[in-house]
Amino acid sequence: MDLLKGKKYNIITFGCQMNEHDSETISGMLQERGCQETFSKDDSDITIINTCSIRENADKRFFGTLGQLKKLKEKNPEYVACVCGCMMQQQHIIDTVKSKYPWVDIIFGTHNIHRFPQLLEKVYGEKKKMAEIFEDSPEIVEGLPSKRLYKHKAFVNVMYGCNNFCTYCIVPYTRGREKSRSPEDIVKEIRTLTGDGVKEVTLLGQNVNSYRGAGGNGKFYDFADLIYMINDIEGLERIRFMTSHPKDLSDKLIQAYVDCEKLCNYIHLPVQAGSNTVLSRMNRHYTREKYLELVHKLRKAVPDITISTDIIVGFPGETDEDFRETLSLVREVEYDSAFTFLYSVRKGTPAAEYEDQIPEEIKHRRFDSLVDAVNEGSARRNALYKGRVEKVLVEGVSKKNEHTLTGRTEGFKLVDFKGDRDLIGQIIDVEITEGKTFSLAGKVL
Ligand code: SF4
């Protein structure tokens, strides 16, 4: 234990909220052993890079950052460089790290985060490098500590892994098959969080809609059941979740939006493409028509629901006509916001082997048109907010202006407004004075 006491660590996180939450766990475990966090790798005894393998861009940034650690090791031979996360679940990446970046001391994966302190102690105690990767693990390790990034909101994993095998995606290979936590463990964790001042939880999973947790009474609970249980937790004010697959979005969950006052009127519903041909080649298991029907049902049940999405441009074989269908779907839905991506080959996925890859210049041209369409929709929807009074959870000081506070509406819209810093962490009424393309401006009432 004492081997780690007083060491300064720095975590660099790439990728999604699952990774951010894993980094919170790593941080919590290190603090439990007497380590202190520092926000500069130059000032640290231990650096951990938590990697993401969803996009090619994240790979490049990872190797660039890893290269910078060499000089820290040269300056201080006791310095420990660690890499973990999704990229480390791929053998070709591990081989590259071992052969080209010999200053790395510890490699671990997504299934054995709980083992990290022991690996670190071995490196300090036995002066040897450690690489430990679990292929998959049926077990969920409960009760790990976590050092939260935010005081008033928290991420809570409800399930791990994915069974869907979308043909462009590496996640089922790096995060393994679906495993759901028990509802009791989730509720217990959220009760502890609310006792600690948390007002908003975001339930995390690659596809929360296929949650199936075994209760202590032998019964299985689906995601809507879980929402109803969490809605009863005293002190909690907001529930969000990320991410849901359209093929598994049930009527029961839509009804939960109506019944559960704490479930925020917001859904991230990744569509990926508007053409049935492309959706089928992506192995998404829904059609454009089915998706639009879901949007219609959601808006009928919850008229002011905000909807965001993910869209991939330039998937192999995407024709101009396919792309036009994506544009028309974007215009029809009129998303509140969308994450748009250029398709990039992920080694080990079926789509990487497709021969009809789209030339980069076509992808970029389509991408620009898509962004314009998304932004037009967001600006129109945000303009409708002018004059409305929104409940806003004040999250902190704006990164752009230290005299401005920033927060989120129930519909996950970012709002900037002037106010006292004492408001941070509170849910307050804000009148919206302007709707911009990416955010809202308002004044405190
Ligand atoms: S649902 Fe598809 S895109 Fe999402 S994590 Fe699973 S395989 Fe990847």
Side-chain angles (χ1 to χ4, degrees), residues 35-162:
C35 299
Q36 296 156 15
E37 185 161 23
T38 166
F39 294 98
S40 158
K41 60 182 180 321
D42 298 335
D43 176 42
S44 66
D45 303 304
I46 305 161
T47 297
I48 303 111
I49 309 182
N50 189 358
T51 64
C52 165
S53 53
I54 296 266
R55 316 259 161 235
E56 200 178 12
N57 197 17
D59 284 20
K60 287 189 187 143
R61 284 168 55 217
F62 161 62
F63 284 118
T65 310
L66 196 49
Q68 294 165 16
L69 303 190
K70 184 181 180 189
K71 65 175 188 324
L72 298 177
K73 189 79 178 181
E74 283 169 353
K75 240 178 26 197
N76 172 15
E78 290 288 301
Y79 171 78
V80 177
C82 317
V83 291
C84 63
C86 289
M87 282 177 79
M88 298 310 127
Q89 294 294 139
Q90 298 167 83
Q91 192 56 47
H92 69 279
I93 302 279
I94 297 174
D95 295 342
T96 305
V97 170
K98 283 185 174 168
S99 63
K100 298 201 176 139
Y101 302 86
W103 51 91
V104 171
D105 298 287
I106 301 182
I107 301 174
F108 62 108
T110 56
H111 304 294
N112 59 340
I113 286 175
H114 60 287
R115 295 261 311 139
F116 177 54
Q118 284 97 307
L119 299 178
L120 203 48
E121 280 166 352
K122 279 207 164 162
V123 168
Y124 278 116
E126 299 170 23
K127 306 278 174 229
K128 59 181 187 189
K129 292 181 186 295
M130 300 297 305
E132 184 185 276
I133 307 293
F134 293 179
E135 279 297 305
D136 200 348
S137 160
E139 150 204 37
I140 294 177
V141 181
E142 289 291 347
L144 294 178
S146 172
K147 179 180 176 278
R148 295 198 318 273
L149 282 173
Y150 309 95
K151 198 165 178 321
H152 301 99
K153 61 178 192 174
F155 301 125
V156 175
N157 277 111
V158 299
M159 60 183 298
Y160 300 88
C162 181

Side-chain angles (χ1 to χ4, degrees), residues 206-352:
Q206 301 296 343
N207 175 17
V208 290
N209 293 347
S210 59
Y211 171 84
R212 194 164 178 270
N217 56 4
K219 264 176 64 184
F220 279 93
Y221 295 83
D222 65 20
F223 189 57
D225 296 328
L226 183 67
I227 297 280
Y228 283 95
M229 288 163 110
I230 296 171
N231 194 58
D232 286 339
I233 297 177
E234 221 172 287
L236 183 68
E237 301 200 32
R238 286 179 165 185
I239 307 167
R240 301 188 187 283
F241 57 85
M242 256 324 210
T243 287
S244 48
H245 195 305
K247 79 174 169 54
D248 300 314
L249 176 60
S250 65
D251 288 347
K252 191 171 161 191
L253 182 59
I254 295 177
Q255 186 57 38
Y257 276 101
V258 179
D259 298 338
C260 301
E261 72 288 355
K262 294 177 187 173
L263 181 58
C264 290
N265 291 346
Y266 164 69
I267 189 163
H268 183 71
L269 196 61
V271 67
Q272 307 299 6
S275 143
N276 285 338
T277 316
V278 175
L279 287 171
S280 164
R281 294 191 83 202
M282 286 177 163
N283 197 32
R284 291 290 289 173
H285 294 283
Y286 54 85
T287 60
R288 169 196 179 90
E289 292 74 25
K290 166 83 179 146
Y291 183 91
L292 289 171
E293 188 190 317
L294 285 174
V295 169
H296 176 72
K297 274 192 195 171
L298 281 162
R299 286 197 170 137
K300 189 163 171 230
V302 191
D304 66 345
I305 196 163
T306 53
I307 304 179
S308 62
T309 197
D310 295 333
I311 305 170
I312 297 173
V313 174
F315 186 76
E318 180 189 73
T319 62
D320 284 341
E321 182 50 33
D322 290 325
F323 177 64
R324 272 195 291 276
E325 290 192 52
T326 297
L327 277 185
S328 83
L329 180 134
V330 165
R331 291 191 178 114
E332 189 168 341
V333 174
E334 201 168 74
Y335 289 102
D336 289 277
S337 64
F339 297 96
T340 47
F341 305 98
L342 290 165
Y343 170 77
S344 66
V345 168
R346 302 287 67 205
K347 198 172 168 186
T349 60

Side-chain angles (χ1 to χ4, degrees), residues 54 162-166 168-172 206-207 245 272 284:
I54 296 266
C162 181
N163 292 352
N164 288 310
F165 292 94
C166 301
Y168 52 83
C169 184
I170 195 78
V171 166
Q206 301 296 343
N207 175 17
H245 195 305
Q272 307 299 6
R284 291 290 289 173

Side-chain angles (χ1 to χ4, degrees), residues 359-370:
E360 288 301 310
E361 70 274 16
I362 296 181
K363 280 193 213 169
H364 282 271
R365 205 171 55 230
R366 289 179 186 165
F367 183 82
D368 291 346
S369 319
L370 177 66

